[in-house]
Amino acid sequence: MPVLTGKELRIVGFLCNWCSYGGADTAGVGRFNQPTDLRIIRVPCSGRIDPLFIAKTLIGGADGVLVSGCHPRDCHYAEGNFYARRRLEVLKRFLPILGIDPGRFDYTWVSASEGQRWQKVVTVFTEQIHALGPAPRFDAVAPELLAKIAGAIGQGGNRVAA
Amino acid sequence: MRIGVFVCHCGSNIEGTVDTGIVAKTALDFPEVVFATDTMYACSEPGQDGIIQAIKDKNLTGVVVASCTPRMHEPTFRRAVERAGLNRFMFEMANIREHVSWIGKDREANTNKSVDLVRIAVEKLRRDAPLIPSKFSVNKRVMIIGGGVAGIQAALDCADGGLEVVLVERDSSIGGKMAKLDKTFPTVDCSSCILGPKMVDVAQHPNITLHAYSEVDAISGYVGNFQVQVKKKATYVDWELCTGCGACMEKCPSKKNPDVFNEKIGPCTSINIPFPQAIPKKAYIDATTCRQFVKGKCGVCAKVCPTGAIRYDMTDEIVTEDVGAIVAATGYDLFDISKIAEYGGGRYPDVITGLQYERLLSASGPTGGHIKRPSDGKEPKNIVFIQCVGSRDKSLDRPYCSGFCCMYTAKQTILTKDHIPDSQSYVFYMDIRAPGKMYDEFTRRAMEEYGARYIRGRVAMVYPKGDKLMVRGADTLAGTQVEIEADLVVLAAGAEAAKGAPQLAEKLRISYDKYGFFMESHPKLKPVETNTAGVYLAGSCQGPKDIPQSVGQGSAAAAKVLALFSKDMLESDPQISRVDIKRCVGCGKCIMTCPFKAIKEVEFRGQKKAEVIETVCQGCGICTSTCPQGAIQLSHFTDNQILAEVNALCQS
Amino acid sequence: MSEAIAYYPGCSGLGTSKEYDTSTRAVCAALGLSLVDIPDWSCCGSTPAHTKDHTLSAALSARNLQLVANMGMTAAATPCPSCLTNLRTANHRIEAAPFKAKVDKLLDEPYGGDVNAISVLQALVENVGLDTIKAAVRTPLKGLKVACYYGCIMNRPPELMAFDDCENPMAMDNILAALGAEVVPFPLKVECCGASYGIPRPDVTAKLSGKLLEAAVGVGADMVAVACPLCQMNLDLRQSQVNRAMGTNYRIPVPYFTQLMGVAMNIADTEIGFGKLNVDPRPVLSRALSGAD
Amino acid sequence: MNIINLTRDYDEDFVHRVEEESGQKVSLCYQCGNCTAGCPYTFVYDIPVSQIMRLVQAGQKKTVLSSKSIWLCATCESCTTRCPNNIDVACIMDVLRHMARREGLAAVPQVKTFWDSFLDSVRAHGRVFELGLLINYVAKTGRFWTDMDLGPKILPKGKLAMKPHEIQGKEHVARIFERFERESNS
């Protein structure tokens, strides 16, 4: 029920608290209309985002995942978004191995003042996911595969994949 | 767990496009939710009382409020649940206003999405644990960065409040832009007469340490305990010995350098004290023009200095200052008028900025207070002022209003008439922005009493014709093109972020907008706070401001610092990382990635383990997503919690 | 080190601006820039086309751009700013697919959209370069005071033309300085001369061109160098109309900058074609050049 | 001066069409007057260009499309180049001419006639035949004195071709015009 059949797709956003979540707030305060598909999970920093969260979200049935953090050099935690960028870039390259269209995942940087930019990011990404349509459902994904990717990305495999 | 869910109408802000009743009703189906209701204003006193009452009546052990952004009211509701006897971290928010009701009008979709957001808040809350903050001590020294009028005010108020103050100024003297002004609006009182005494107070205040000609190099630490590295740039003059007598300036053979204090419309010597009221009144050498440095020989100043203060071998020096709070008051810079080629700034000497005009008006300026145009030193009769040069201009990526130009231009027309009674001022403007006390009356006086001719319209181009400048503009009220043969053209150059502002913001770990102005914590309610605890803002570094506003903000920032320092101990945010010692294999990856050096290596029964230093950890969670074992977990943002949110969304 | 670019002379190059065409060809050839004629090129439609309809205007330009593509080339140079504006505008507008579809509907052969159009002035500055031009100077224009007039649309709007400074262009100034001339700062470099109103509203053109001539004389120029056939016609051929309308008595030569290049590079007189101008620059030129000796 | 009733006389469709055909957003204009200030043709305009923009904002179709100004704009691009809001004003002026043509309006008829004569020449020959164009224009307008004074100056120079340069593909060019007419009538 929560995703409106035929109208919405399941899009999950991971946003850092300081910049992008604030940017989404600014967009709201400015009443910048956006598509309704996106559900936002708030994290303190884009550096907190484990790439396997994203893989699991996509395998779990989401049609798209959007990550947004602070602009490079403008991170509230100094360098969290640099870690994020490296990890997410690697993840992007691994998605096809999982059988996931890399177009279903994107990451960007939006600051707390950029309400209009956030509106654009959400609109464009939502359109992009609608163009791809609903994601094919995974019956079961071998945990070994996730672990392997985790190993390649260089972290986290032993816990999140398990 | 017994969870209560409160869905806020926020008047019609949420209820207008979200059926909060359905959201509450649906929430009752979620695991461990035992109570759910919609409420008119959750943050109001009755709203909070309702939450407290429900916690008591229903024996709730956790609360979800679905309302506005947690960046707004999370602290409010945490205090409310604490008043009801719960640990304040047994609380989660669902943002159904900024992220739902305000960004779309589809009531069905919005209601549906709100249900989802409540669902993930519930799933997260089910995995929350009570957290207890720890306490840490505060270093009650404050650093003010920037010695313009805002920084001076903040420094004096803090110092008068008994705090030790470190004031850092990039130039060789404090005073900022205000020190360059001749008079101030709307009173037309002398700028240096009202600023000068404050500058002297800074110099003489026992609680203030002034680092002039210095810049902030690096900042580490956190609220209550910052370590700031200040680079004291080489002045090549021992300021302990320099008496400010000025003998060196009289004898310096390199006399034709553009005088930065005079906005480059006059010359200055390579060894220089920028203006008579400078604080500190000390000389410094500009090594890029000094003959001793450029040609390797001169040494005149060293010979004439009566105290032997010249030190050609001086180098930059780094000093470390430990402070508990920082106020950024770094001001603004002017838009580069040469970017608008059609006005000829930078090409035609008699096209100048408003600040350059201030220097021509000022008795301590390059012309001794006589208005003489730069090209030939003649006294101008027809003076054209053009407003909004680099303001309200999307094509130049300067869409904002600089705020103070309308007023200083009105002042300049008045002063022009005082200086040259047979002169005529013309002002091209789009709108007159004069919302302060006695401001609008002031602009009217410029027109009614001083005869300034205001023309509503922009200027398309300025070009030389003989020894005049042809100004071609529009009078939109008359609906016509107009031309003026001007002797001098003064451009009201807009304000832009100070050079290096973004780099300083990055060092302070505060945000800045796309123009480089620093971001306040809340545009209305937290105008001088930032999102980094212990870092405050004052003056134009946050956006263009006039003198009264800057002074007000300087005092406001000082009040915030004094309030912060009124406690001996501060509570740390307990949403920090914690190590599960059983799972930790001592690989040290978390230690390497932590940006705050908040994790140290310890020995535990002969094995290496990681340990989080509670008060240093800032709660970013980079370590958590780095740890291969899942041994270090950020409280309230654990892997389990985030994955529970993911599952809730994917499987709903 | 010869470089080739397709060449679109524009209709006036066959008539009223013949000397611009011949001097351009001669100068480019001497500088190693090979101009390859576009076979069977047609009119770009100029101002009348875009004032009637943007699709029609783009189609008239696109036909020529596709002819360039059929030559296997990707760039064309034109001496005429009006042609240039139309060619570039067409390229810009067809970036929008619906517009391109409308344009293609009017054409026998659809246009691929991948031919860049630049001015001869830009080609000389960027493809040839000032150093090469300087090296080719045989008779430096020493002592000649020149005001460079670019006309209104050589550089405007800047997003479309993407060349030089739109308010204070310097390309022609730099070329003339390389030729040894004394370039006087000319404040009205990009003011409109009256464009094609010379025929339907001669009063308008007389007034605007008059302002330009006044300014050029005012800054002490011996002549006004131009890069646009229409500007040249208004300032030179219509100089008598200006004088009559404004009560002035100007007699100032208005050569194309390529003609002055030709003089400095010792190109044959027949190619330079000074004789085709209304106010003959040769007397002023020889006076200035001899004075320098 | 007429009173404009803004509730009744605001032609919404006109505003939309100008925006659609020009790709510009007229509400961006804040009436600074920079276009009028820079426009070399203001002195012959009946309505200065900034007021044309204002009247477009105000939905005053008839006033705008019957103005002389839209026919006297030379597309010199100074307005577009200097607009602080990046409005392509010259393009809007172009679009207003297109709309005026469709309404059968041409407040400066000789300008329209000249442009039409020019296009007729292109249509007939593939390239403009300058002398033919002039003769055609004079014939249409009866303004036989046009540039008569210049004849002696230009004819001896051998610059004006006495007959058109016919191009091989002139039928193709003519077909562009034919298809354009068919498309605009359909």
Side-chain angles (χ1 to χ4, degrees):
Chain A
M1 183 197 74
V3 168
L4 291 175
T5 322
K7 205 154 138 190
E8 284 181 350
L9 291 175
R10 213 181 288 264
I11 304 178
V12 177
F14 292 92
L15 270 63
C16 83
N17 177 56
W18 300 100
C19 294
S20 292
Y21 197 92
D25 284 351
T26 305
V29 173
R31 311 297 199 275
F32 300 140
N33 271 357
Q34 297 154 44
T36 53
D37 311 46
L38 177 75
R39 274 81 170 126
I40 293 169
I41 293 176
R42 180 168 71 129
V43 291
C45 176
S46 55
R48 171 66 190 95
I49 299 166
D50 193 312
L52 289 162
F53 294 162
I54 296 153
K56 282 212 147 189
T57 310
L58 288 167
I59 291 164
D63 303 305
V65 172
L66 177 65
V67 168
S68 188
C70 304
H71 285 281
R73 303 178 59 80
D74 192 17
C75 175
H76 185 76
Y77 301 106
E79 51 202 40
N81 51 4
F82 287 118
Y83 287 103
R85 181 163 65 183
R86 210 172 55 223
R87 293 168 184 167
L88 298 174
E89 203 40 58
V90 176
L91 173 79
K92 222 173 163 64
R93 273 179 263 146
F94 271 94
L95 287 177
I97 299 173
L98 285 172
I100 295 169
D101 188 327
R104 296 195 180 276
F105 163 63
D106 206 356
Y107 66 92
T108 186
W109 321 116
V110 174
S111 82
S113 66
E114 294 176 321
Q116 256 171 317
R117 181 172 147 70
W118 176 250
Q119 175 190 38
K120 203 170 158 208
V121 163
V122 174
T123 308
V124 169
F125 187 72
T126 307
E127 280 168 8
Q128 181 181 324
I129 299 305
H130 276 263
L132 290 172
R137 295 283 159 242
F138 288 81
D139 294 332
V141 165
E144 314 88 73
L145 193 55
L146 273 183
K148 207 182 274 173
I149 288 170
I153 297 170
Q155 76 237 305
N158 294 344
R159 52 201 172 98
V160 189
Chain B
M1 192 180 264
R2 294 175 59 80
I3 295 174
V5 174
F6 299 84
V7 187
C8 180
H9 292 203
C10 196
S12 62
N13 282 309
I14 294 170
E15 181 58 31
T17 61
V18 174
D19 191 328
T20 54
I22 290 187
V23 176
K25 197 161 150 277
T26 316
L28 279 173
D29 299 336
F30 299 158
E32 302 185 279
V33 173
V34 295
F35 177 76
T37 182
D38 54 312
T39 169
M40 190 64 183
Y41 285 107
C43 63
S44 68
E45 204 178 347
Q48 293 189 43
D49 287 348
I51 294 169
I52 292 168
Q53 201 57 47
I55 292 171
K56 288 177 178 160
D57 291 350
K58 314 283 176 191
N59 291 323
L60 302 179
T61 57
V63 168
V64 167
V65 172
S67 58
C68 50
T69 171
R71 286 162 53 98
M72 177 92 178
H73 271 315
E74 195 173 59
T76 313
F77 293 120
R78 286 205 193 286
R79 284 195 298 273
V81 300
E82 196 168 52
R83 284 207 299 282
L86 297 187
N87 179 279
R88 73 169 102 137
F89 291 93
M90 300 307 287
F91 169 79
E92 291 294 339
M93 275 182 95
N95 182 351
I96 61 168
R97 191 177 72 176
E98 282 83 348
H99 291 191
V100 181
S101 71
W102 276 351
I103 58 167
K105 295 203 167 59
D106 181 337
R107 195 172 168 85
E108 186 196 14
N110 282 357
T111 304
N112 218 16
K113 181 172 173 183
S114 300
V115 167
D116 253 4
L117 296 186
V118 171
R119 185 196 313 271
I120 62 174
V122 167
E123 290 301 329
K124 184 160 183 253
L125 176 63
R126 290 175 67 203
R127 290 157 183 85
D128 274 337
L131 300 175
I132 311 290
S134 58
K135 303 215 168 198
F136 63 93
S137 62
V138 184
N139 179 351
K140 294 186 182 179
R141 293 179 92 221
V142 57
M143 175 173 286
I144 318 281
I145 306 173
V149 69
I152 288 173
Q153 187 68 35
L156 290 173
D157 285 354
C158 287
D160 287 345
L163 303 181
E164 261 189 68
V165 176
V166 181
L167 178 58
V168 179
E169 166 57 47
R170 179 155 65 179
D171 292 334
S172 77
S173 169
I174 59 170
K177 295 283 188 293
M178 186 175 171
K180 300 187 180 193
L181 305 181
D182 178 36
K183 304 283 194 300
T184 57
F185 60 78
T187 46
V188 202
D189 46 0
C190 157
S191 187
S192 55
C193 308
I194 56 177
L195 181 67
K198 280 187 182 288
M199 290 167 61
V200 174
D201 287 350
V202 167
Q204 294 181 345
H205 206 296
N207 287 353
I208 299 179
T209 306
L210 173 59
H211 293 307
Y213 211 56
S214 299
E215 286 179 38
V216 168
D217 205 45
I219 301 170
S220 60
Y222 50 94
V223 58
N225 296 283
F226 291 105
Q227 292 82 44
V228 186
Q229 310 232 311
V230 177
K231 180 165 86 183
K232 302 194 73 161
K233 295 179 283 187
T235 58
Y236 308 104
V237 177
D238 184 341
W239 281 7
E240 297 289 324
L241 298 175
C242 177
T243 60
C245 70
C248 51
M249 291 165 65
E250 277 170 36
K251 293 288 187 290
C252 176
S254 167
K255 292 184 191 305
K256 298 238 163 105
N257 312 300
D259 185 348
V260 174
F261 183 78
N262 279 326
E263 293 289 310
K264 301 184 181 173
I265 47 164
C268 69
T269 46
S270 289
I271 186 163
N272 191 28
I273 301 170
F275 56 108
Q277 304 90 336
I279 296 288
K281 197 174 180 190
K282 307 284 180 189
Y284 74 102
I285 293 175
D286 175 3
T288 61
T289 59
C290 169
R291 292 186 185 187
Q292 183 68 34
F293 289 92
V294 176
K295 295 190 175 154
K297 58 178 182 188
C298 177
V300 171
C301 50
K303 282 185 208 109
V304 300
C305 177
T307 60
I310 308 300
R311 298 280 180 276
Y312 296 125
D313 58 352
M314 192 184 265
T315 52
D316 294 352
E317 182 195 350
I318 303 279
V319 294
T320 303
E321 294 284 2
D322 294 330
V323 295
I326 301 171
V327 177
T330 47
Y332 68 97
D333 273 318
L334 287 185
F335 175 80
D336 173 7
I337 57 169
S338 71
K339 286 183 185 162
I340 306 183
E342 57 265 44
Y343 289 171
R347 246 193 307 160
Y348 311 133
D350 295 331
V351 177
I352 62 174
T353 67
L355 198 54
Q356 289 177 321
Y357 196 57
E358 290 288 336
R359 296 314 299 151
L360 292 183
L361 292 165
S362 168
S364 65
T367 54
H370 300 290
I371 305 174
K372 294 176 180 170
R373 59 183 207 168
S375 64
D376 54 11
K378 280 189 194 153
E379 190 179 73
K381 297 294 179 200
N382 285 329
I383 299 157
V384 170
F385 296 87
I386 304 177
Q387 302 296 282
C388 302
V389 177
S391 300
R392 301 180 66 195
D393 194 326
K394 286 195 183 115
S395 67
L396 299 165
D397 197 27
R398 293 287 178 275
Y400 53 84
C401 171
S402 293
F404 45 62
C405 323
C406 286
M407 292 306 298
Y408 79 63
T409 297
K411 175 197 72 183
Q412 288 176 346
T413 66
I414 289 173
L415 296 176
T416 302
K417 198 75 182 169
D418 281 343
H419 278 70
I420 312 171
D422 62 341
S423 67
Q424 179 61 54
S425 293
Y426 300 86
V427 181
F428 283 94
Y429 72 101
M430 291 199 289
D431 299 287
I432 299 176
R433 305 254 159 114
K437 191 169 173 178
M438 295 299 289
Y439 281 19
D440 199 62
E441 297 92 319
F442 186 72
T443 63
R444 293 306 313 165
R445 261 178 68 203
M447 289 175 248
E448 294 162 10
E449 289 175 34
Y450 290 84
R453 289 187 201 155
Y454 272 64
I455 302 139
R456 200 224 166 261
R458 264 195 196 258
V459 167
M461 63 190 293
V462 177
Y463 62 96
K465 192 174 180 184
D467 69 341
K468 300 272 185 191
L469 288 164
M470 294 298 291
V471 179
R472 191 196 292 170
D475 183 333
T476 61
L477 301 180
T480 180
Q481 201 174 52
V482 293
E483 282 186 337
I484 296 172
E485 291 172 24
D487 300 307
L488 183 67
V489 174
V490 181
L491 307 181
E496 59 184 31
K499 278 167 205 75
Q503 290 74 22
L504 179 64
E506 285 153 17
K507 288 173 189 162
L508 288 164
R509 288 185 286 113
I510 61 176
S511 299
Y512 51 95
D513 66 20
K514 64 181 284 206
Y515 308 108
F517 291 114
F518 299 159
M519 291 276 292
E520 67 282 16
S521 188
H522 189 280
K524 273 139 266 183
L525 301 178
K526 292 184 174 177
V528 297
E529 291 97 317
T530 69
N531 282 333
T532 297
V535 178
Y536 303 93
L537 306 175
S540 290
C541 61
Q542 180 265 350
K545 277 172 200 62
D546 64 10
I547 293 167
Q549 289 172 329
S550 299
V551 171
Q553 283 214 327
S555 288
K560 290 289 168 190
V561 173
L562 286 161
L564 178 76
F565 287 176
S566 67
K567 305 185 192 80
D568 294 324
M569 302 288 280
L570 293 180
E571 273 190 359
S572 66
D573 185 337
Q575 296 180 93
I576 55 167
S577 288
R578 290 182 167 77
V579 179
D580 180 349
I581 210 154
K582 291 195 291 296
R583 297 181 83 165
C584 176
V585 296
C587 69
K589 281 185 179 161
C590 53
I591 299 173
M592 269 151 51
T593 51
C594 176
F596 304 101
K597 301 189 177 66
I599 310 174
K600 61 182 178 190
E601 191 180 277
V602 291
E603 285 267 319
F604 182 76
R605 291 181 188 161
Q607 284 180 312
K608 282 182 188 165
K609 299 284 177 189
E611 188 178 287
V612 175
I613 312 165
E614 261 184 62
T615 51
V616 181
C617 176
Q618 300 292 299
C620 65
I622 296 171
C623 54
T624 310
S625 42
T626 304
C627 176
Q629 301 299 319
I632 188 162
Q633 288 289 333
L634 175 61
S635 304
H636 264 55
F637 292 96
T638 64
D639 288 337
N640 282 342
Q641 286 186 294
I642 294 171
L643 287 172
E645 291 179 81
V646 167
N647 285 339
L649 288 177
C650 288
Q651 281 151 27
S652 62
Chain C
M1 199 200 69
S2 173
E3 207 178 329
I5 192 165
Y7 180 61
Y8 183 80
C11 300
S12 61
L14 304 179
T16 44
S17 70
K18 250 180 196 159
E19 63 280 16
Y20 193 12
D21 179 58
T22 54
S23 58
T24 293
R25 289 173 187 273
V27 162
C28 289
L31 291 168
L33 178 65
S34 161
L35 302 178
V36 187
D37 279 290
I38 303 167
D40 211 42
W41 58 270
S42 51
C43 176
C44 69
S46 193
T47 304
H50 72 69
T51 60
K52 186 179 173 79
D53 186 84
H54 289 159
T55 316
L56 173 67
S57 172
L60 291 171
S61 289
R63 176 179 184 270
N64 293 292
L65 292 166
Q66 185 56 34
L67 289 177
V68 176
N70 293 345
M71 295 162 74
M73 302 185 87
T74 56
T78 175
C80 171
S82 183
C83 301
L84 179 67
T85 299
N86 275 336
L87 297 173
R88 290 188 72 89
T89 303
N91 267 336
H92 172 67
R93 292 216 167 109
I94 62 158
E95 281 170 18
F99 186 84
K100 182 176 187 306
K102 276 164 55 185
V103 172
D104 284 343
K105 260 188 162 174
L106 304 189
L107 294 168
D108 278 10
E109 182 186 1
Y111 167 46
D114 34 24
V115 174
N116 189 28
I118 62 171
S119 63
V120 165
L121 177 61
Q122 183 172 2
L124 284 170
V125 171
E126 291 180 358
N127 300 30
V128 174
L130 289 171
D131 292 339
T132 309
I133 293 172
K134 211 172 208 167
V137 172
R138 299 287 171 268
T139 310
L141 304 183
K142 250 198 159 137
L144 182 70
K145 290 169 127 183
V146 187
C148 292
Y149 173 59
Y150 294 73
C152 56
I153 50 174
M154 178 69 91
N155 308 94
R156 298 196 306 204
E159 297 78 20
L160 178 70
M161 305 313 277
F163 171 60
D164 213 345
D165 186 304
C166 66
E167 292 289 350
N168 184 26
M170 289 301 290
M172 210 193 312
D173 291 53
N174 294 338
I175 287 180
L176 277 146
L179 304 181
E182 184 190 334
V183 182
V184 293
F186 184 53
L188 301 183
K189 277 178 179 179
V190 295
E191 276 287 287
C192 184
C193 64
S196 59
Y197 290 108
I199 291 174
R201 286 294 298 265
D203 55 320
V204 174
T205 299
K207 178 151 180 176
L208 295 178
S209 285
K211 277 191 179 180
L212 296 172
L213 293 170
E214 183 195 6
V217 170
V219 295
D222 296 327
M223 49 180 71
V224 182
V226 295
C228 168
L230 201 50
C231 299
Q232 201 282 333
M233 179 151 68
N234 285 340
L235 293 178
D236 179 45
L237 183 62
R238 295 185 187 281
Q239 209 170 96
S240 55
Q241 293 179 340
V242 169
N243 283 334
R244 210 175 314 129
M246 313 302 288
T248 50
N249 196 19
Y250 300 125
R251 196 161 168 77
I252 180 168
V254 187
Y256 292 103
F257 76 100
T258 46
Q259 292 180 294
L260 293 176
M261 289 179 80
V263 172
M265 291 163 61
N266 288 358
I267 301 280
D269 288 352
T270 47
E271 310 301 316
I272 295 173
F274 276 147
K276 300 213 180 281
L277 301 180
N278 182 43
V279 180
D280 192 332
R282 281 170 292 199
V284 177
L285 200 55
S286 56
R287 208 178 315 131
L289 295 191
S290 65
D293 290 335
Chain D
M1 233 175 232
N2 286 334
I3 295 172
I4 300 173
N5 182 319
L6 287 174
T7 39
R8 248 186 309 135
D9 301 339
Y10 174 81
D11 188 336
E12 200 176 344
D13 182 55
F14 171 64
V15 180
H16 285 324
R17 297 208 56 166
V18 172
E19 292 200 329
E20 199 186 303
E21 291 182 30
S22 67
Q24 306 300 309
K25 198 170 158 190
V26 296
S27 62
L28 284 173
C29 174
Y30 58 27
Q31 284 294 307
C32 69
N34 205 348
C35 46
T36 293
C39 177
Y41 295 87
T42 302
F43 77 102
V44 280
Y45 278 11
D46 53 350
I47 303 173
V49 53
S50 54
Q51 290 189 356
I52 293 277
M53 289 297 296
R54 180 71 201 137
L55 289 162
V56 171
Q57 284 179 329
Q60 300 300 302
K61 178 177 173 180
K62 193 165 159 256
T63 316
V64 171
L65 296 189
S66 3
S67 76
K68 290 195 170 78
S69 305
I70 59 175
W71 295 99
L72 292 169
C73 161
T75 323
C76 80
E77 306 279 359
S78 82
C79 48
T80 296
T81 301
R82 291 173 184 151
C83 175
N85 295 308
N86 288 328
I87 304 171
D88 191 345
V89 183
C91 180
I92 290 181
M93 294 295 271
D94 239 6
V95 160
L96 294 173
R97 285 187 279 247
H98 304 166
M99 294 170 96
R101 277 175 180 274
R102 291 202 294 266
E103 303 277 326
L105 296 167
V108 190
Q110 70 267 35
V111 170
K112 178 175 176 288
T113 305
F114 175 68
W115 287 340
D116 287 345
S117 305
F118 185 101
L119 292 175
D120 289 346
S121 180
V122 176
R123 184 174 187 160
H125 312 297
R127 288 178 196 161
V128 165
F129 170 39
E130 290 171 321
L131 196 58
L133 158 62
L134 187 62
I135 291 165
N136 189 9
Y137 168 76
V138 168
K140 276 190 188 169
T141 57
R143 295 164 80 91
F144 54 86
W145 61 88
T146 302
D147 279 348
M148 258 187 9
D149 55 324
L150 300 182
K153 289 187 182 7
I154 193 163
L155 293 174
K157 309 270 182 197
K159 299 216 286 190
L160 277 184
M162 289 298 150
K163 59 179 208 278
H165 298 266
E166 307 281 350
I167 68 166
Q168 290 170 352
K170 69 176 184 181
E171 287 78 17
H172 180 198
V173 174
R175 278 197 295 276
I176 291 176
F177 281 92
E178 280 157 29
R179 290 188 194 113
F180 166 70
E181 267 161 23
R182 217 179 311 135
E183 290 291 326
S184 11
N185 292 334
S186 64

